[in-house]
Amino acid sequence: MPESRFALSMDAYELITRNVSEVVTEDEVRALAEDPDGKRAYVGYEPSGVLHIGHMLTANKLIELQEAGFEVVVLLADVHAYLNGKGTFEEIRETATRMQEQFVAYGLEESQTEFVLGSEFQLDEEYVLDLHALELETSLSRASRAMAEIAGGDTATVAQAVYPLMQALDIVYLDVDLAIGGMEQRKVHMLARDTLPSIDADSPTCLHTPLIADLTSGVGKMSSSEGLSISMEDTESDIEEKVNKAYCPPTADPEPTDEGEDRENPVLQIFEYHVFPRFGEVVVDRPEQYGGDLHYESYADLEADLESGELHPADAKGALATYLNRLIEPGREKIREQRSD
RNA sequence: CGGACCGUAGCGCAGUGGCCGACGCGCUCGGUUGUAACCCGAGAGGACGCAGGUUCGAUUCCUGCCGGUCCGACCA
């Protein structure tokens, strides 16, 4: 099992905000970091049958928060998934349990993790009335702008306008001190900060994790619905193949495309946000003819070597596939069990 | 409710009453590069929104429906 070696060597604030794209607000998080024990952090996920690399990215943050002393609440957002057109309620609920088991297999500490099904409290009268109160405070265009990065279909529905307001309310009802989400969630969280005071609740403190770029182009963000994405149901050879297909110029700062779109190096991003946070050390298995194995103790060293040419992208990819496979293996095993039931 | 425009491969779009429905991006395969991208070569993929009608024949004309976009004080 991967272990973090950072828990003891970093101060709490550093650990809590490590690898995040945005801290809202720094002062609020510093206050939490002063005494993290027993503080509650949460992420909501629309249940899906299989964890993918995006789920794992926020889960990495949850694991770090647990190391810092936080209690973690994972909301299995069945009602949200339903509102976002992800299937019938029955189908969605079916996947929630599987998802929970996969999170534990991935490395969330079971004793410090509270899994909550959204429908357990989101249909209560009090919740619904509070929700209507928020609806009264929120313009349709604000709600749909907040949903733009999350919405599944191409048509905005009324359900999708309600969705972000429920997220805001969840933060109150789950009694959490810190809301975690990918950068695609930031508008929803900002809406929550603006709106919750109208029902006498506090504006939530938020951390947003980065989004990993599309694997084959480096443009935009990786999506589980299009292009290549990595999930726990990938076999070892799937992973090798996908990583090998990844866009990987020998730099951390690739040139924009001809159309002027920014590009990232997704291979490096995965090292930074997935591999190093979960493994203390990375060994790149390199053929003798190119100089033999390389050892890295930090992401920055690996990046510097790729940049200088010391580390060839092909070797970096080989190592990435190896470590991704190690990360995914426990979840892969769990999925195998789930499917043989 | 009223009006305008639109609905053609995964996406963006061209086009014609009958002749192979074009192009760009994407995708697949091969070449090149110790990865990928770029580049080169070869491919796959479409009941031309649905239902009627006109016609010898409709994807192209007409009607209805469904779906989408925009407009609806005055002026123009």
Side-chain angles (χ1 to χ4, degrees):
Chain A
M1 287 293 286
E3 284 175 22
S4 170
R5 63 198 183 82
F6 295 98
L8 299 177
S9 61
M10 285 179 144
D11 78 25
Y13 179 79
E14 207 178 330
L15 180 61
I16 291 166
T17 59
R18 175 166 192 259
N19 282 338
V20 302
S21 285
E22 182 176 41
V23 179
V24 183
T25 63
E26 209 178 299
D27 288 347
E28 293 170 24
V29 174
R30 283 195 189 283
L32 290 175
E34 278 175 25
D35 182 22
D37 273 328
K39 293 291 193 305
R40 288 161 65 82
Y42 110 110
V43 182
Y45 299 100
E46 292 183 17
S48 71
V50 174
L51 289 202
H52 58 64
I53 196 164
H55 297 124
M56 293 187 266
L57 186 58
T58 42
N60 290 341
K61 179 46 64 189
L62 296 180
I63 289 168
E64 288 175 327
L65 290 169
Q66 289 181 331
E67 289 170 7
F70 273 77
E71 274 174 33
V72 160
V73 180
V74 171
L75 174 67
L76 301 168
D78 53 350
V79 178
H80 283 90
Y82 179 69
L83 291 175
N84 200 16
K86 295 298 172 62
T88 68
F89 209 72
E90 293 302 308
E91 291 164 349
I92 291 164
R93 275 209 164 158
E94 167 76 21
T95 63
T97 312
R98 293 165 180 268
M99 191 180 213
Q100 173 172 343
E101 291 174 350
Q102 289 169 32
F103 270 120
V104 172
Y106 181 64
L108 280 182
E109 179 51 54
E110 215 168 352
S111 63
Q112 277 185 84
T113 308
E114 183 183 335
F115 289 93
V116 182
L117 203 57
S119 54
E120 285 172 27
F121 64 97
Q122 290 163 343
L123 303 175
D124 293 351
E125 182 175 326
E126 191 189 357
Y127 181 100
V128 172
L129 284 174
D130 275 337
L131 177 60
H132 290 330
L134 294 182
E135 290 165 5
L136 221 38
E137 289 295 319
T138 308
S139 76
L140 207 46
S141 77
R142 176 86 196 262
S144 62
R145 268 182 287 135
M147 270 302 280
E149 304 278 318
I150 302 169
D154 47 4
T155 305
T157 60
V158 173
Q160 287 167 342
V162 172
Y163 183 121
L165 297 177
M166 287 180 58
Q167 263 179 274
L169 210 49
D170 291 343
I171 293 167
V172 178
Y173 276 74
L174 294 172
D175 193 27
V176 296
D177 303 289
L178 182 62
I180 310 296
M183 279 297 278
E184 82 285 355
Q185 302 291 330
R186 72 178 309 279
K187 286 186 182 176
V188 172
H189 286 158
M190 296 310 156
L191 177 62
R193 285 179 68 86
D194 286 351
T195 312
L196 285 178
S198 75
I199 58 165
D200 296 319
D202 293 332
S203 290
T205 303
C206 315
L207 288 183
H208 300 137
T209 59
L211 302 176
I212 290 181
D214 178 77
L215 206 53
T216 56
S217 68
V219 175
K221 63 169 181 173
M222 194 188 293
S223 159
S224 53
S225 57
E226 54 187 79
L228 289 184
S229 76
I230 288 169
S231 82
M232 283 191 171
E233 68 183 347
D234 286 326
T235 63
E236 290 197 20
S237 58
D238 287 340
I239 297 286
E240 282 168 23
E241 200 173 305
K242 288 177 179 182
V243 169
N244 185 45
K245 283 184 178 176
Y247 172 71
C248 187
T251 175
D253 189 23
E255 293 294 312
T257 63
D258 293 341
E259 289 77 41
E261 297 168 302
D262 283 339
R263 275 194 285 204
E264 301 291 335
N265 184 324
V267 170
L268 284 180
Q269 288 184 313
I270 298 172
F271 269 113
E272 182 173 15
Y273 300 125
H274 284 282
V275 177
F276 279 97
R278 299 294 305 280
F279 298 92
E281 181 188 38
V282 167
V283 177
V284 175
D285 195 10
R286 185 168 65 173
E288 284 305 325
Q289 76 176 110
Y290 297 121
D293 293 358
L294 291 164
H295 297 253
Y296 295 103
E297 302 213 338
S298 76
Y299 166 72
D301 295 344
L302 184 148
E303 181 188 307
D305 268 9
L306 188 84
E307 198 80 54
S308 74
E310 173 63 25
L311 172 61
H312 191 280
D315 294 323
K317 284 183 172 181
L320 183 62
T322 301
Y323 284 91
L324 273 179
N325 270 316
R326 283 167 64 180
L327 268 182
I328 286 169
E329 183 49 38
R332 187 150 53 200
E333 192 56 45
K334 176 55 70 180
I335 289 172
R336 218 166 313 178
E337 283 174 31
Q338 289 170 346
R339 289 185 177 164
S340 64
D341 286 343

